[in-house]
Amino acid sequence: MKKIFKALAISVASLAMVAGIATATACSGGYNGTYTGSYHYTNSYGSTYGMVVEVTVENNIITKIKDITNTEATKTIQNNQNWTVVSSAGNHGWDEDAVKNWTSNEAWLLQQYEGKAVSDILDIKVFYNNGYSKVEDKWVIDPDLPGEPYKVDKNVQ
């Protein structure tokens, strides 16, 4: 049972990664350059989870992806939106093994997108639940905001 929860935690974090990569590659249109993409969502408790990536594209091929979530460039955004950063999720409901699994495999997960065409990444559909926004000191479902990506069963790709 413990392995299932670890796998689910990793799958949700990696789906956030896919959404960030897709955002960055969408901005590129396949042109050479380095682009920044992010994905974040707020849960029903008001915690905002997310990831920021830097994607390098050459000749319509992704050549490098770097997690820049914990850099100075993104800290202002995160602080203003009260982000709970996926890459350092140890104090946010993840047990020690799940955190170790994520930090040990994050680089490998990012590398899985290197060598792929921008159009291939843009074709990946990521399905997510509704996000939450605060109304009168209460967090309520907001159908206009993207939320947490669904687990693997609805995001098989």
Side-chain angles (χ1 to χ4, degrees), residues 8-143:
L8 288 175
I10 293 301
S11 68
V12 169
S14 61
L15 287 170
M17 180 187 306
V18 170
I21 293 167
T23 302
T25 55
C27 294
S28 78
Y31 297 110
N32 293 348
T34 301
Y35 303 90
T36 302
S38 68
Y39 180 81
H40 66 277
Y41 64 90
T42 302
N43 67 11
S44 60
Y45 301 104
S47 293
T48 301
Y49 293 88
M51 185 171 202
V52 183
V53 292
E54 183 178 87
V55 179
T56 304
V57 176
E58 293 177 19
N59 299 321
N60 197 36
I61 302 296
I62 296 170
T63 59
K64 184 178 179 185
I65 300 175
K66 182 179 178 184
D67 176 3
I68 60 170
T69 307
N70 290 321
T71 63
E72 288 300 317
T74 61
K75 285 194 189 290
T76 303
I77 296 168
Q78 295 164 12
N79 289 338
N80 289 341
Q81 297 176 355
N82 196 25
W83 278 34
T84 304
V85 181
V86 171
S87 328
S88 61
N91 297 325
H92 307 288
W94 288 23
D95 66 21
E96 195 173 308
D97 289 339
V99 173
K100 184 177 178 183
N101 192 14
W102 170 255
T103 56
S104 298
N105 291 299
E106 179 187 16
W108 176 83
L109 288 167
L110 288 170
Q111 289 172 350
Q112 301 310 299
Y113 299 94
E114 293 177 6
K116 295 190 185 285
V118 170
S119 58
D120 291 339
I121 299 305
L122 293 177
D123 286 343
I124 297 172
K125 304 286 187 245
V126 177
F127 300 98
Y128 51 83
N129 207 340
N130 291 321
Y132 287 81
S133 61
K134 199 169 195 176
V135 177
E136 298 178 11
D137 294 330
K138 185 178 179 184
W139 290 97
V140 296
I141 293 175
D142 188 338

